[in-house]
Amino acid sequence: MTDSLPVYESLAVSVRRLIDATIRTEVSHEVIAAARAKIDSVTSELSAELMPGTFGERRIDDGQGVASGNVVIGVRNPSAPPLVIHRESDGSVWTEFTLGAAFEGPMGHVHGGVSAMILDHVLGATAHQPGRPAYTGTLTLRYHRRTQLRQPLRADAWIESQQGVKTFAVGQISDGEGVTVSAEGVFIHPRNS
């Protein structure tokens, strides 16, 4: 059933385009009414067979990772950018991405909460290890300047130190001109993991 992943992923890509078009469209009310009827029909078709609960709660193994529904990296989640996390041998991580209209806060710029969500995930990725999850204890951000939409961005994170069940990580989002947002976080490994 792993062959179905590209189908679900391509559906999410199409819905991401739909979200962007919905935000930015200036078509007539008649065109909007016709589009809404089509979207409602498709939604009914897709709702014919829904999994119980959330994607991460699924009980079957069909080759799709539990993170496929994640709001930051989920390839099946049209609300996700989605980010692709790259891991380096030194434990640092990075990702490159561009954010569009769905992530707007101040006019033409990324919402600060979206930057926080991305940095929470990227810093957490440094602490999270296979079989040893880590959860956010604290996250502190510094907004250096506004982060522009529709511009290539990069997020980097690395481990600063570890003490018992705590991992201290730092990271940043940057564009072609430098850092826009930096963060420090404490990530906790549950004792029973």
Side-chain angles (χ1 to χ4, degrees):
M1 217 168 167
T2 57
D3 293 335
S4 62
L5 181 59
V7 173
Y8 291 120
E9 187 173 348
S10 66
L11 174 62
V13 169
S14 292
V15 175
R16 278 186 203 106
R17 288 196 328 263
L18 175 63
I19 291 168
D20 188 74
T22 300
I23 294 167
R24 299 172 53 219
T25 190
E26 293 185 336
V27 297
S28 71
H29 291 193
E30 293 79 17
V31 172
I32 290 173
R36 191 184 76 226
K38 292 175 190 172
I39 292 166
D40 289 347
S41 174
V42 169
T43 301
S44 292
E45 289 178 41
L46 293 174
S47 298
E49 292 184 44
L50 295 175
M51 66 183 74
T54 65
F55 196 89
E57 296 172 319
R58 296 176 43 180
R59 301 259 187 258
I60 63 170
D61 182 10
D62 61 0
Q64 298 181 71
V66 294
S68 292
N70 183 283
V71 72
V72 179
I73 61 170
V75 295
R76 283 188 61 166
N77 187 339
S79 299
L83 302 186
V84 176
I85 305 296
H86 302 276
R87 297 181 180 279
E88 298 296 334
S89 59
D90 65 359
S92 65
V93 300
W94 61 274
T95 184
E96 294 178 331
F97 56 99
T98 301
L99 299 173
F103 303 99
E104 187 171 38
M107 184 174 48
H109 295 88
V110 177
H111 190 287
V114 172
S115 296
M117 176 180 70
I118 289 169
L119 284 167
D120 178 43
H121 190 90
V122 174
L123 269 68
T126 65
H128 184 86
Q129 301 298 321
R132 190 166 187 241
Y135 301 96
T136 308
T138 61
L139 184 68
T140 305
L141 287 93
R142 178 169 180 237
Y143 295 89
H144 301 267
R145 59 189 171 83
R146 294 184 292 183
T147 305
Q148 289 189 353
L149 292 171
R150 301 191 182 281
Q151 298 295 318
L153 300 170
R154 180 178 169 117
D156 294 276
W158 54 95
I159 294 172
E160 192 170 65
S161 66
Q162 293 180 308
Q163 296 175 3
V165 297
K166 296 180 182 179
T167 296
F168 298 83
V170 294
Q172 60 194 27
I173 294 175
S174 55
D175 60 16
E177 297 176 23
V179 176
T180 62
V181 186
S182 59
E184 299 176 355
V186 179
F187 296 85
I188 311 298
H189 299 277
R191 292 190 188 278
N192 60 354
S193 66

